[in-house]
Amino acid sequence: NAGVTQTPKFRVLKTGQSMTLLCAQDMNHEYMYWYRQDPGMGLRLIHYSVGEGTTAKGEVPDGYNVSRLKKQNFLLGLESAAPSQTSVYFCASTRTGGYTEAFFGQGTRLTVV
Amino acid sequence: DAKTTQPNSMESNEEEPVHLPCNHSTISGTDYIHWYRQLPSQGPEYVIHGLTSNVNNRMASLAIAEDRKSSTLILHRATLRDAAVYYCGPHNYGGSQGNLIFGKGTKLSVKP
């Protein structure tokens, strides 16, 4: 049972390049989340999904897009990366929203140069 | 969205109790209060959550104010392994809502 798996773990991008971060969970959870973590800023919610085919904006959605085509996967896309998007990205999932605990992945460290 | 505030840092001595506060003054009636902690270079891990009543588990206790606008995470006997950043936040359990937004976290230092 892998839980929440993020791919890749590390990545360096040049300004203007695009990339997709993959979050996969094998717990049949309905809700999935993407966060970014910067020094002194804690965990900030980018986008989330309450079920397959649905997405919603979080606190800091600008510059990111997401898709949830399959229940087990939640993709985070950067169409044109900027240095301000240098951060550690975490994915999480929960079975039924606030009723149950969230499980987090181990993070993706992204550097945009 | 609820605004959640936490102290930036706290210190404790090993084997003493620790009370970590969290203010969530705009919490809604359908929000659970969740707590997570993050060890260095790791993803956050679940600690405890509750709705209205105080909650206990093997890791900690959660005391929720009667008006639900604040809560306190209680570590009964701090160990060196409890040194981490602790995050709290309201988490909605209803329908199309479901965002989990955290405070900026409290960095707990434990002295031997």
Side-chain angles (χ1 to χ4, degrees), chain A residues 8-90:
Chain A
K9 290 184 171 49
F10 302 94
R11 184 73 185 268
V12 178
L13 281 181
K14 293 183 178 179
T15 298
Q17 286 185 320
S18 63
M19 78 163 294
T20 300
L21 281 66
L22 170 64
C23 176
Q25 52 91 7
D26 61 1
M27 299 172 281
N28 200 35
H29 283 176
E30 290 292 334
Y31 292 62
M32 297 187 74
Y33 308 82
W34 275 109
Y35 294 88
R36 62 176 289 172
Q37 186 171 46
D38 304 296
M41 299 298 291
L43 295 158
R44 291 185 292 170
L45 182 64
I46 305 172
H47 287 279
Y48 65 101
S49 167
V50 299
E52 182 179 316
T54 74
T55 62
K57 294 180 180 180
E59 301 174 277
V60 288
D62 294 343
Y64 305 94
N65 55 75
V66 288
S67 64
R68 183 101 181 269
L69 299 180
K70 294 183 179 180
K71 186 176 183 179
Q72 64 268 32
N73 295 336
F74 195 28
L75 305 177
L76 178 70
L78 288 73
E79 289 188 351
S80 179
S84 60
Q85 295 177 304
T86 294
S87 189
V88 181
Y89 292 86
F90 288 99

Side-chain angles (χ1 to χ4, degrees), chain B residues 17-101:
Chain B
V18 182
H19 291 232
L20 298 167
C22 178
N23 285 306
H24 27 78
S25 58
T26 57
I27 193 168
S28 79
T30 53
D31 285 335
Y32 273 81
I33 299 158
H34 280 238
W35 283 82
Y36 294 80
R37 71 179 186 182
Q38 186 176 25
L39 301 171
S41 300
Q42 293 191 23
E45 64 174 352
Y46 170 79
V47 177
I48 200 166
H49 75 291
L51 185 62
T52 55
S53 302
N54 294 345
V55 183
N56 301 295
N57 66 20
R58 64 175 180 81
M59 289 182 71
S61 295
L62 177 60
I64 300 171
E66 193 169 339
D67 64 6
R68 300 201 338 117
K69 293 184 177 181
S70 65
S71 61
T72 302
L73 179 69
I74 303 166
L75 307 178
H76 295 285
R77 291 184 65 189
T79 70
L80 297 178
R81 290 174 294 178
D82 291 324
V85 179
Y86 288 78
Y87 294 98
C88 65
H91 193 179
N92 195 275
Y93 63 81
S96 62
Q97 298 184 58
N99 50 326
L100 172 54
I101 292 178

